[in-house]
């Protein structure tokens, strides 16, 4: 049995550790979502998650765990954006559990969360050179908008870039 639940404030450190394990470091290399070849350092931390949640009313982190009281093994960030759009990000699955449909489950949960609150569109940003990840989202109905955002070079909260050509592409999906 698995449980999809909203995050609890006391588990933000566990969620940060989960996110970091999926995107950076040794454990990330066991999964397909690692971006260690692009960025060093951490992906997030407890304080950043807490501050971002406080700064964006209506935002939440949905988590997946095996049982009540267990640490999450998957999570996804979701927040209301402009008009009827919702931003989804930080889709995370433990590298030890990837390639089992859990990422799709988390993405669908985020979409259902937005739809239940009047959302008509999902939006996300992905680092432009993450071709495999972009293709995964496209198979789930997201499309490239042609819009981009600069990578926040110099802000180590997002990691330490290993190359100078990073930027974000924006994808969207109608709900």
């Amino acid at each position: 049995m698995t449980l999809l639940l909203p995050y609890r404030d006391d588990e933000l450190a566990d969620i940060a550790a989960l996110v970091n394990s999926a995107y950076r470091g040794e454990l990330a290399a066991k999964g397909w979502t690692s971006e260690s070849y692009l960025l060093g350092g951490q992906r997030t931390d407890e304080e950043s998650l807490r501050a971002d949640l406080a700064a964006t009313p209506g935002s939440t982190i949905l988590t997946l765990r095996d049982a009540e009281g267990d640490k999450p093994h998957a999570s996804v960030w979701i927040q209301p954006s402009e008009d009827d759009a919702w931003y989804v990000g930080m889709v995370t699955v433990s590298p030890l559990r990837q390639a089992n449909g859990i990422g799709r489950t988390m993405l669908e949960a985020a979409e259902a969360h937005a739809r239940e609150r009047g959302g008509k569109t999902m939006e996300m940003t992905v680092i432009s050179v993450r071709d495999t990840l972009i293709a995964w989202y496209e198979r789930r109905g997201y499309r490239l908008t042609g819009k981009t955002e600069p990578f926040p070079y110099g802000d180590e909260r997002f990691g330490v870039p290993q190359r100078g050509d990073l930027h974000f592409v924006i994808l969207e999906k109608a709900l």
Side-chain angles (χ1 to χ4, degrees):
M1 175 175 97
T2 57
L3 297 174
L4 181 68
L5 299 168
Y7 81 98
R8 294 186 324 261
D9 191 63
D10 66 339
E11 67 186 1
L12 287 177
D14 291 337
I15 293 169
L18 171 67
V19 170
N20 288 325
S21 77
Y23 289 97
R24 313 274 166 80
E26 283 183 45
L27 189 56
K30 295 184 185 300
W32 69 272
T33 58
S34 175
E35 55 190 26
S36 295
Y37 67 100
L38 297 173
L39 299 161
Q42 68 180 18
R43 171 67 173 77
T44 193
D45 58 41
E46 177 182 2
E47 295 76 28
S48 295
L49 291 175
R50 190 176 314 286
D52 291 345
L53 286 161
T56 51
S59 63
T60 193
I61 301 171
L62 303 177
T63 64
L64 193 66
R65 61 194 82 225
D66 291 324
E68 189 80 37
D70 285 358
K71 290 183 179 184
H73 60 265
S75 63
V76 62
W77 173 278
I78 184 154
Q79 75 183 54
S81 188
E82 296 177 2
D83 301 317
D84 296 328
W86 281 69
Y87 178 82
V88 60
M90 226 165 39
V91 179
T92 305
V93 178
S94 166
L96 303 176
R97 294 187 178 215
Q98 290 180 9
N100 290 309
I102 298 171
R104 180 181 311 188
T105 296
M106 297 310 294
L107 191 58
E108 289 170 355
E111 292 167 359
H113 181 90
R115 212 175 5 261
E116 290 164 5
R117 288 156 182 78
K120 305 277 188 248
T121 308
M122 300 299 290
E123 301 172 338
M124 68 173 58
T125 57
V126 178
I127 297 173
S128 63
V129 296
R130 304 274 326 263
D131 297 333
T132 304
L133 185 58
I134 292 168
W136 187 85
Y137 285 120
E138 288 177 322
R139 289 191 302 274
R140 273 131 202 96
Y142 287 79
R143 65 172 187 80
L144 290 164
T145 63
K147 299 175 190 170
T148 64
E149 291 181 2
F151 186 86
Y153 284 94
D155 188 343
E156 291 191 8
R157 291 178 304 154
F158 297 94
V160 180
Q162 306 298 308
R163 47 195 283 181
D165 63 343
L166 302 179
H167 65 277
F168 295 105
V169 293
I170 300 171
L171 292 94
E172 68 180 15
K173 176 182 180 177
L175 292 177

